[in-house]
Amino acid sequence: MTSTSFLADNWIWILAAATSGGVLLWQQLQQAGTGGVTPAAAVQLINREKAVVIDVCTAEEFAAGHVAGAKHIPLTELGTAKGLPGNKKLPLIVVCASGQRAAKAAAELKKLGHENVQPLAGGLKAWREANLPIEKTEKA
């Protein structure tokens, strides 16, 4: 049996394997693009290193649900916010709905001199999927 006949006889299996591998690779690359800390690792940082959670969502999103104990500083106000910790060595975990805005906010906080800043990978969606505590606030 030659390699050509093997490929011709098993093309459907080769296609299925390549497609499956491609989907797995795409998922890994998508997660790597957002980067950040997992919800489990975030809990460890909060408990062991007193990390501060900064939520950069809009006021409406924050009121609808946020990480328990998070400080709300919308992304648009990050550069002028007074609610940031004075200790720039303190770990910060930045959260938004999906992780995209949090990645931008983490870069901005690093420019402001904060040394240990990480976005929450997957955002609030990942936090909820991990069944971690969520708080809601009443709208004013």
Side-chain angles (χ1 to χ4, degrees):
M1 177 152 92
T2 66
S3 62
T4 307
S5 64
F6 176 80
L7 294 176
D9 292 342
N10 295 293
W11 70 271
I12 191 76
W13 298 114
I14 295 167
L15 180 63
T19 303
S20 170
V23 168
L24 290 172
L25 178 62
W26 178 75
Q27 288 175 340
Q28 290 296 323
L29 291 174
Q30 190 176 30
Q31 289 175 352
T34 59
V37 64
T38 65
V43 169
Q44 288 182 346
L45 280 171
I46 293 165
N47 291 336
R48 293 182 183 167
E49 298 183 36
K50 307 296 182 214
V52 176
V53 179
I54 307 291
D55 191 309
V56 295
C57 290
T58 64
E60 294 80 22
E61 290 171 318
F62 185 79
H66 55 272
V67 172
K71 290 186 175 196
H72 181 230
I73 304 173
L75 181 59
T76 56
E77 300 173 15
L78 202 56
T80 60
K82 295 182 175 139
L84 293 171
N87 179 357
K88 296 197 177 197
K89 292 184 179 186
L90 194 64
L92 300 179
I93 300 167
V94 188
V95 182
C96 69
S98 67
Q100 298 299 318
R101 287 176 285 176
K104 290 178 187 175
E108 172 115 6
L109 288 165
K110 287 177 184 177
K111 287 180 189 174
L112 293 172
H114 291 275
E115 298 175 16
N116 189 357
V117 183
Q118 299 181 64
L120 180 66
L124 188 62
K125 181 178 183 280
W127 188 266
R128 286 179 195 261
E129 288 171 357
N131 292 318
L132 292 168
I134 301 287
E135 293 178 337
K136 293 183 180 184
T137 54
E138 293 186 26
K139 294 182 182 178

